Amino acid sequence: MDTSYFKKFYDKSRSERIAALQQAGILSEEDAIRLEDGLALSPEIADNMIENQLSTYELPYGVALNFLIDGKDYAVPMAIEEPSVIAAASSAAKTIAQAGGFATVVQKRLMIGQVALKKVPDSALAEQTIRAHEADILKRANEAHPSIVKRGGGARKVSVRIIPADAIGGTPEFVVVHLHVETLEAMGANIINTMMEGVSPYLQDLTGGEALMGILSNYPTDCLATATCRIPANALAKGELSGEEVRDRLIEAYQFAYVDPYRAVTHNKGIMNGIDAVVLASGNDWRAISAGAHAYASRSGQYRSLSSWKKAENGDLIGSLTLPLPVGAVGGSISFHPAAKMTRAILGDPSAAELEAVIVSVGLAQNFSAIKALVTEGIQKGHMGLQSRSLAISAGATGEQIEWVSEQLKKEKNMNLATAKALLEQLKAE
Ligand SMILES: CC(C)(COP(=O)([O-])OP(=O)([O-])OC[C@H]1O[C@@H](n2cnc3c(N)ncnc32)[C@H](O)[C@@H]1OP(=O)([O-])[O-])[C@@H](O)C(=O)NCCC(=O)NCCSC(=O)C[C@@](C)(O)CC(=O)[O-]
Ligand SMILES: NC(=O)C1=CN([C@@H]2O[C@H](COP(=O)(O)OP(=O)(O)OC[C@H]3O[C@@H](n4cnc5c(N)ncnc54)[C@H](OP(=O)(O)O)[C@@H]3O)[C@@H](O)[C@H]2O)C=CC1
């Protein structure tokens, strides 16, 4: 990828940005035309995607630059309504690329399905019986969805968890059977749900219990992705603060988010700014990713920071982020939603594992920028500086008024809607 075309990308017009992506070899001519025309869903597709459809709900679609992940350059598409997220991701990615980029590790992608059994007469015996019949259970699961087996995937492992009765007043004892399934390039909701319903009757026969439900778990602890980065302290200096001071403050920001759930939620929201935006742009199920991420943040019994920041022996800053990322390269609306298709084109048609690597890196970048701003100049300067246009629009500015109100707002002490409205009135009165 020739990134020389990206200089001051954000100062270019929309058409110039599309041309720059084409010149850099990221977009084909055909994709550049599609992007120029807009990525709207056709009324026919929209009507067939959901029930009681009335219209579509649009979000801005942009691209974060400077990502160097496992030695490969990426421009990363994001769909998001919040200003400064793309700037922050690009800014962090630039610093991290200069330090060697992100390194990622993506686990073998095993998704989990559950059958919950109740009224099991002897749960210890049931567990033994299930374990003894693992091969039969896997066979039946695979027979329920033979096409994934043909593709080289399928059910791989069975595990059992016993959740005692009265966990909260009056709850039955649950014998929970997990199937660990290799869903290859799919997130695999349909594969797993079919398998779980397929094995439920057999599990009832084996245990003498009653199946309450069989369903995918959105907590796929065998589908983790990790990104790490390592930044020399001298690349972190900001204003009056030395690189070492910024590094130490970044580490304390992480420590604060590790020990305090009130802070951890906001810290992780900053990470999800990037993750959700790429998941959404890629046509994946962002509710599933969010639910899994927050469960993973609570795995110790307390809700904590998803990322960690530490000092290396030589004084470098080392950042790391791990979370479950059950995304697909196929399935759902990925193959027909125009924006999801564009995202796949811009990312170079990534496999599901490569997409995980990109998404987890964006999450780490987003966290780096947010906490760096927080522990140095504060969030308002960069974030609100970029939010001034949204405030101007909220105040009713249109056309050239938007630029004028936005620029005046940046000079004001109170950059808020009331000030934006007052400025707009002033402009109209002139
Ligand atoms: C906004 C910056 C990046 C400015 O930071 P800066 O240092 O003034 O930026 P710069 O002018 O030195 O530019 C550095 C690079 O940033 C990018 N960049 C710079 N400006 C733009 C722009 N307009 N559009 C696109 N990209 C931009 C661009 O890549 C640029 O490199 P260049 O291309 O010039 O070589 C910085 O202040 C920042 O990262 N702030 C944090 C913003 C943030 O995190 N926003 C998320 C929303 S706040 C929130 O929801 C979560 C939070 C914060 O509460 C989470 C938490 O608490 O942890
Ligand atoms: N998170 C959740 O709890 C739930 C999510 N969903 C929704 O389910 C959708 C995602 O489910 P998913 O099952 O992945 O989607 P799909 O069923 O749409 O697509 C997956 C299918 O694609 C086919 N396929 C083609 N090529 C491959 C390949 N290389 N690797 C794997 N499969 C391939 C397989 O079918 P075949 O082999 O038969 O061709 C596979 O079953 C999302 O829209 C999500 O919102 C639905 C229910 C619950």
Side-chain angles (χ1 to χ4, degrees):
M1 181 190 299
D2 184 351
T3 52
S4 60
Y5 297 101
F6 294 156
K7 216 166 173 8
K8 294 288 166 202
F9 190 79
Y10 45 90
D11 285 338
K12 296 180 193 290
S13 68
R14 195 176 81 87
S15 293
E16 288 168 344
R17 288 180 202 141
I18 293 171
L21 288 169
Q22 195 184 344
Q23 285 160 338
I26 294 174
L27 284 177
S28 65
E29 193 182 343
E30 194 183 284
D31 283 336
I33 294 168
R34 284 203 292 135
L35 204 44
E36 189 70 58
D37 289 347
L39 299 172
L41 268 181
S42 73
E44 191 195 345
I45 292 185
D47 194 23
N48 281 295
M49 280 177 76
I50 61 162
E51 311 73 38
N52 298 352
Q53 190 259 348
L54 299 173
S55 184
T56 53
Y57 180 104
E58 291 186 274
L59 286 176
Y61 177 89
V63 75
L65 299 178
N66 312 323
F67 277 86
L68 174 64
I69 303 170
D70 300 323
K72 188 171 164 188
D73 287 316
Y74 291 90
V76 185
M78 295 172 113
I80 187 147
E81 88 296 349
E82 189 173 3
S84 90
V85 169
I86 289 183
S90 305
S91 171
K94 183 178 166 188
T95 304
I96 293 167
Q98 284 162 354
F102 299 89
T104 71
V105 177
V106 173
Q107 270 188 339
K108 188 167 184 172
R109 294 164 40 84
L110 285 179
M111 308 300 166
I112 295 172
Q114 308 185 284
V115 171
L117 298 155
K118 58 174 193 161
K119 295 185 187 160
V120 175
D122 181 339
S123 54
L125 178 63
E127 182 171 357
Q128 271 178 22
T129 312
I130 291 166
R131 290 191 195 288
H133 290 79
E134 178 169 10
D136 279 346
I137 297 167
L138 294 176
K139 185 167 167 281
R140 284 166 197 254
N142 285 328
E143 281 167 3
H145 210 295
S147 52
I148 193 66
V149 180
K150 258 197 214 152
R151 292 182 190 280
R156 298 283 183 247
K157 196 174 82 180
V158 177
S159 58
V160 185
R161 293 163 53 238
I162 296 175
I163 300 178
D166 292 321
I168 49 168
T171 52
E173 179 189 59
F174 289 114
V175 173
V176 187
V177 182
H178 284 193
L179 269 192
H180 303 256
V181 184
E182 207 176 337
T183 57
L184 302 177
E185 292 304 306
M187 176 259 215
N190 291 327
I191 298 169
I192 291 187
N193 291 343
T194 307
M195 285 185 174
M196 300 327 288
E197 289 179 12
V199 297
S200 277
Y202 184 53
L203 292 173
Q204 292 188 139
D205 291 348
L206 284 178
T207 60
E210 181 186 323
L212 180 65
M213 66 173 79
I215 184 74
L216 164 86
S217 165
N218 280 293
Y219 189 33
T221 44
D222 297 336
C223 183
L224 300 178
T226 299
T228 53
C229 64
R230 184 177 182 126
I231 310 168
N234 62 19
L236 298 168
K238 181 90 186 172
E240 306 272 277
L241 294 167
S242 70
E244 284 74 18
E245 284 170 319
V246 173
R247 176 200 62 206
D248 294 345
R249 291 173 70 81
L250 281 165
I251 293 169
E252 283 162 358
Y254 147 65
Q255 291 168 340
F256 177 31
Y258 187 80
V259 295
D260 178 15
Y262 281 85
R263 171 58 202 154
V265 172
T266 314
H267 181 99
N268 291 345
K269 183 274 180 187
I271 293 172
M272 299 312 285
N273 273 341
I275 290 188
D276 279 345
V278 188
V279 171
L280 183 54
S282 70
N284 272 284
D285 184 340
W286 75 94
R287 289 86 57 205
I289 300 300
S290 285
H294 297 298
Y296 194 68
S298 309
R299 66 194 180 284
S300 67
Q302 180 180 317
Y303 189 90
R304 297 187 189 281
S305 158
L306 279 166
S307 63
S308 71
W309 294 93
K310 295 187 173 131
K311 184 169 127 181
E313 270 179 21
N314 72 349
D316 288 355
L317 176 71
I318 297 183
S320 176
L321 172 67
T322 299
L323 75 162
L325 273 177
V327 289
V330 298
S333 63
I334 294 169
S335 63
F336 62 82
H337 191 289
K341 282 165 65 182
M342 183 58 67
T343 296
R344 294 200 55 74
I346 292 175
L347 289 176
D349 205 17
S351 66
E354 188 181 353
L355 185 58
E356 284 188 47
V358 170
I359 295 170
V360 71
S361 300
V362 173
L364 187 59
Q366 210 72 60
N367 182 231
F368 172 77
S369 273
I371 59 174
K372 184 171 175 223
L374 288 171
V375 301
T376 57
E377 62 188 12
I379 198 70
Q380 291 300 71
K381 188 165 178 277
H383 177 58
M384 288 308 282
L386 292 170
Q387 195 158 11
S388 59
R389 284 170 174 274
S390 297
L391 280 173
I393 296 168
S394 301
T398 54
E400 288 175 1
Q401 293 170 340
I402 297 173
E403 182 66 25
W404 187 86
V405 173
S406 156
E407 284 308 311
Q408 297 304 312
L409 260 178
K410 287 184 197 167
K411 297 176 196 155
E412 296 286 336
K413 193 162 164 256
N414 291 321
M415 196 197 279
N416 56 27
L417 186 58
T419 313
K421 282 185 175 163
L423 285 166
L424 184 60
E425 288 310 310
Q426 183 191 325
L427 178 65
K428 285 180 178 167
E430 277 173 10

